Amino acid sequence: MSPVSRGRKPAKRPKSRRVHRPRPPLDVARVERWPKLLHGPIELSDCVVQGQVDQDLVVLAAKLTAGKRSVGVEVVVNDREVDVIELHAVPEDALAVLRNGFEVTEAPLTPEEFRSQVEAALVAKADRDAWLRERVPELLKLGTDPRPELPERAVQLRRWLGLPAYEPLPRMSSADPLPLVLPPPVPVTGFRLAVALAELDDAIWRRLEVRSDVTLAGLHRILAAAFDRDERGYHRFETAYGGFSVDAQSCEGDRFDDEVTLGQVITSPGHRLVYEAESWRHWIRIEQLVALPTAPSCLDGERAAPPAECEDHQSYEMLLEALRDPYDEENEELLEEFGGYGFDPEWFDKEVVDERLARLG
């Protein structure tokens, strides 16, 4: 009679003799395995939208967690349509898709905003495919689909995110794609910003404190004062939510910069956006959250901004070269052409900048 049948438990194997088999690495490459990866309620966290500067490419990244298992999901949106859906065994790999080697802007998303953005991109892709099948079926015969697994991945992603199944409703396929939905304004706080001209050997920068509820149009006026520029000149902001400018009609896809606040497009230390004034590009980065300032102020900076006559890096470098020998006949012509008379590239006075900011009202 066995020990179990007599009511006794079998003896346990000594711990020293137990075999601990290593857990195989998580396989996320094959789409048919995806339904088996996560079981139970899905928790969504670390949601981020990343935009590649000067490109129509956006990455929506997040961490999906069920029980003790987490994976990273990466949704690449190209021209407002889902182009790629990938899973990553290490969640951080999905959150760093564009950070390595690319010039990107980035902003956080709430789980609800992430779901909304993903669903809009999935619908745009499904609508386009349905329209092609109906109107231009010959295109489907020209070659194989480069991403045949995408529809199946889209279905699984909808299940995980709790999104409804796609319904081919009548839509205007020729309508312009909608930009990413802006999050609602957050509680007002103060931002300490570092602003620097891009791609210069000698850095030209300012450190500013502003309110988070300043519109991007108002921020442009602050930056024009900080860098001694004419605020009536062309300017544009490139964010993870798309472009914003004073003349949205001339920049296809842009929205007006007086309809969005700084706190809607960047919210946390480390988040960045791009500011373009005339042909000069600047990086704007949140250094830290601070007490709510009563007015914008300049804390620090280095070097004077290029004169208005210098329209690009090349003309500015020519001006600097001419300033090294201002009495040369050719250099005198360059100084006159590029606004070099009386210009000191090393000049910076915080009090003068604060006086300009105070005049903004």
Side-chain angles (χ1 to χ4, degrees):
M1 185 178 292
S2 71
V4 175
S5 64
R6 295 193 187 113
R8 299 197 308 269
K9 294 183 179 180
K12 293 184 178 180
R13 179 184 294 177
K15 291 185 178 180
S16 59
R17 296 175 57 188
R18 293 179 186 174
V19 178
H20 295 279
R21 297 179 179 177
R23 179 178 292 181
L26 194 61
D27 181 11
V28 298
R30 293 173 19 224
V31 67
E32 63 269 17
R33 288 188 53 84
W34 284 16
K36 305 174 184 178
L37 295 177
L38 301 176
H39 301 280
I42 303 292
E43 179 184 351
L44 196 58
S45 60
D46 295 342
C47 304
V48 168
V49 55
Q50 298 173 325
Q52 189 173 342
V53 174
D54 287 340
Q55 301 289 332
D56 291 329
L57 188 69
V58 171
V59 170
L60 301 165
K63 181 166 72 173
L64 303 175
T65 302
K68 297 182 179 180
R69 173 172 287 178
S70 296
V71 297
V73 61
E74 164 204 349
V75 182
V76 179
V77 182
N78 196 353
D79 196 19
R80 313 304 181 191
E81 298 178 7
V82 167
D83 194 40
V84 175
I85 301 175
E86 294 286 355
L87 287 189
H88 297 266
V90 179
E92 290 75 15
D93 290 347
L95 303 178
V97 173
L98 286 183
R99 293 177 189 168
N100 299 324
F102 292 96
E103 191 177 283
V104 300
T105 56
E106 185 173 285
L109 294 174
T110 66
E112 292 74 20
E113 291 164 351
F114 180 85
R115 290 186 177 94
S116 174
Q117 305 289 11
V118 170
E119 183 176 21
L122 288 172
V123 168
K125 171 63 175 173
D127 280 350
R128 179 175 175 81
D129 289 347
W131 184 86
L132 286 174
R133 284 193 296 270
E134 179 183 352
R135 302 292 182 86
V136 200
E138 293 80 8
L139 286 179
L140 302 177
K141 304 175 183 178
L142 296 179
T144 58
D145 189 340
R147 297 181 181 86
E149 76 289 346
L150 187 58
E152 190 175 351
R153 293 185 177 192
V155 169
Q156 181 58 48
L157 184 58
R158 282 181 174 276
R159 291 178 184 145
W160 279 335
L161 298 182
L163 301 176
Y166 170 71
E167 295 183 13
L169 302 175
R171 296 183 177 93
M172 293 181 61
S173 58
S174 61
D176 293 334
L178 294 176
L180 291 172
V181 178
L182 285 167
V186 297
V188 182
T189 185
F191 285 162
R192 181 169 297 171
L193 304 177
V195 187
L197 270 73
E199 301 177 7
L200 287 178
D201 293 334
D202 294 325
I204 299 173
W205 59 274
R206 304 287 184 265
R207 180 171 286 116
L208 307 169
E209 284 193 356
V210 302
R211 295 168 60 101
S212 64
D213 61 348
V214 65
T215 65
L216 293 187
L219 180 61
H220 161 66
R221 297 182 64 212
I222 293 172
L223 296 174
F227 288 93
D228 193 19
R229 291 199 182 99
D230 186 349
E231 66 179 60
R232 295 170 296 180
Y234 166 83
H235 67 274
R236 183 174 185 268
F237 292 91
E238 181 69 34
T239 78
Y241 296 92
F244 297 86
S245 59
V246 66
D247 187 6
Q249 294 178 347
S250 64
C251 298
E252 185 177 354
D254 276 9
R255 285 174 278 185
F256 290 109
D257 58 3
D258 61 354
E259 298 176 351
V260 60
T261 65
L262 178 62
Q264 286 180 280
V265 293
I266 53 175
T267 60
S268 302
H271 291 154
R272 304 192 298 176
L273 69 153
V274 174
Y275 166 66
E276 185 177 354
E278 297 299 340
S279 58
W280 293 95
R281 296 174 65 80
H282 309 64
W283 277 112
I284 300 176
R285 178 172 59 87
I286 296 182
E287 288 191 324
Q288 65 183 81
L289 306 182
V290 296
L292 188 64
T294 56
S297 63
C298 178
L299 305 181
D300 201 358
E302 279 189 300
R303 299 182 181 85
E309 292 82 357
C310 290
E311 297 181 352
D312 52 30
H313 294 85
Q314 183 178 3
S315 59
Y316 181 61
E317 292 297 333
M318 293 173 66
L319 172 60
L320 295 181
E321 186 66 30
L323 287 171
R324 296 185 180 96
D325 187 8
Y327 301 107
D328 179 86
E329 184 175 347
E330 292 184 2
N331 288 345
E332 288 182 355
E333 295 179 2
L334 291 174
L335 292 177
E336 183 175 358
E337 179 181 357
F338 297 133
Y341 286 113
F343 175 72
D344 179 5
E346 297 299 321
W347 182 87
F348 170 76
D349 190 325
K350 185 183 82 68
E351 293 183 0
V352 172
V353 175
D354 275 333
E355 289 177 3
R356 296 195 201 109
L357 292 172
R359 290 197 293 267
L360 295 178

